[in-house]
Amino acid sequence: MGRKPLIAGNWKMNTDAVSAPNLAREVLQKTSRLRNVDIAVFPPFPLIPSVLKVLDGSAIGIGGQDISAELQGAFTGEVSAGMMTSLGCTYTLVGHSERREYHLESDELVNRKTIRALEAGLIPIVCVGEKLSERDGGETFARVERQIKVGLAGLSKEQMARVVIAYEPVWAIGTGRTATPQQAEEVHEFIRKLLATLFDQQIADATRILYGGSVKASNARELMSQPDVDGALVGGASLSSDDFAAIAESAG
Ligand code: PGA
């Protein structure tokens, strides 16, 4: 459908002042000849400037792992979308399951953050996905539907055209247990149909829907060969430049 795949590396709370720019340098070297795939990395906040410096002028995008829903002011410990834009970031993750689980982020808060990101000129990667108990209880589609409906509520079509979605079944994140390509495709297809009803067919066809959850060099190609899987949000394997580059290569 002409959607350019996106491979996003979520470094989570890993790397430091020395290893973050080193990892960025290696990723740049190992992916520089890939043309048909977009690549982005998501370092921890304080390491973003050092990574930006290494990737300056390259095609690799950089983003934060979260942003505040607030504009600015007395919100100790928070980082605003405007700060990220002013640094030179292009993306932000929003609603990652670890934020939802450990920081009790609701679908409504994810919506406010998504709007805040768009207003600041960032591309939000809005993460959705069911827990194991929800999958086992047959609630996968209902859960994802609510996350998408509420998470994207109030967005104009122009705004939605800049949003990326990541489907990350919680039971597959960091567990080594990956959704089968069929399990992933079934939910991706569902999300795309939902986007067509919430926005329009053109937007649904153009929106990139990434899969996340134990993506590795060995399973990336098969997952991304599914018609509605447009790339990957990679956690653990993004900390190895070889693995991350191999995943990017299998998309491009
Ligand atoms: P994982 O993490 O690849 O380590 O499962 C994915 C994510 O949390 O984005």
Side-chain angles (χ1 to χ4, degrees):
M1 287 249 180
R3 292 181 296 269
K4 192 175 182 186
L6 170 63
I7 304 297
N10 175 8
W11 296 0
K12 308 195 180 185
M13 200 170 74
N14 296 297
T15 70
D16 60 22
V18 175
S19 58
N22 283 344
L23 178 57
R25 202 168 294 115
E26 288 175 22
V27 168
L28 180 60
Q29 280 161 3
K30 293 174 188 175
T31 60
S32 59
R33 58 198 170 72
L34 302 177
R35 292 280 169 270
N36 301 321
V37 55
D38 286 335
I39 297 173
V41 293
F42 296 80
F45 286 130
L47 307 176
I48 286 177
S50 67
V51 170
L52 275 161
K53 209 165 158 191
V54 170
L55 299 180
D56 186 33
S58 81
I60 301 183
I62 300 159
Q65 297 170 13
D66 183 36
I67 48 158
S68 173
E70 305 297 338
L71 200 54
Q72 63 171 54
F75 301 100
T76 302
E78 293 289 277
V79 173
S80 75
M83 289 173 197
M84 307 306 291
T85 319
S86 73
L87 279 173
C89 290
T90 27
Y91 295 92
T92 184
L93 302 182
V94 178
H96 189 280
S97 69
E98 286 150 19
R99 300 295 313 174
R100 293 176 186 266
E101 174 148 2
Y102 305 134
H103 300 272
L104 308 180
E105 293 196 3
S106 64
D107 296 333
E108 288 75 12
L109 183 66
V110 172
N111 178 241
R112 290 179 55 216
K113 291 186 175 194
T114 302
I115 291 170
R116 197 58 86 195
L118 289 163
E119 285 172 353
L122 295 172
I123 297 172
I125 300 185
V126 180
C127 306
V128 300
E130 81 287 1
K131 295 182 189 162
L132 185 57
S133 57
E134 291 164 339
R135 174 156 286 262
D136 289 346
E139 294 156 25
T140 297
F141 294 109
R143 180 71 194 107
V144 170
E145 179 168 345
R146 181 177 151 76
Q147 288 174 323
I148 294 277
K149 272 191 178 160
V150 179
L152 305 178
L155 266 63
S156 67
K157 288 183 186 178
E158 290 70 28
Q159 286 177 316
M160 185 57 211
R162 292 170 38 227
V163 172
V164 175
I165 310 264
Y167 169 59
E168 300 203 295
V170 180
W171 47 273
I173 295 179
T175 57
R177 200 179 145 187
T178 320
T180 64
Q182 293 69 32
Q183 281 174 323
E185 172 59 21
E186 176 173 80
V187 180
H188 282 233
E189 188 187 9
F190 172 78
I191 292 172
R192 202 174 301 287
K193 287 195 173 135
L194 186 58
L195 294 178
T197 58
L198 295 175
F199 297 93
D200 63 32
Q201 192 61 47
Q202 202 186 335
I203 285 181
D205 287 341
T207 301
R208 291 189 285 191
I209 307 175
L210 316 183
Y211 169 79
S214 299
V215 175
K216 301 185 269 288
S218 57
N219 59 26
R221 191 178 297 276
E222 211 192 344
L223 283 159
M224 289 188 283
S225 67
Q226 299 301 309
D228 291 296
V229 179
D230 309 310
L233 179 52
V234 186
S238 73
L239 298 172
S240 151
S241 57
D242 279 333
D243 291 349
F244 189 62
I247 293 167
E249 196 155 345
S250 59

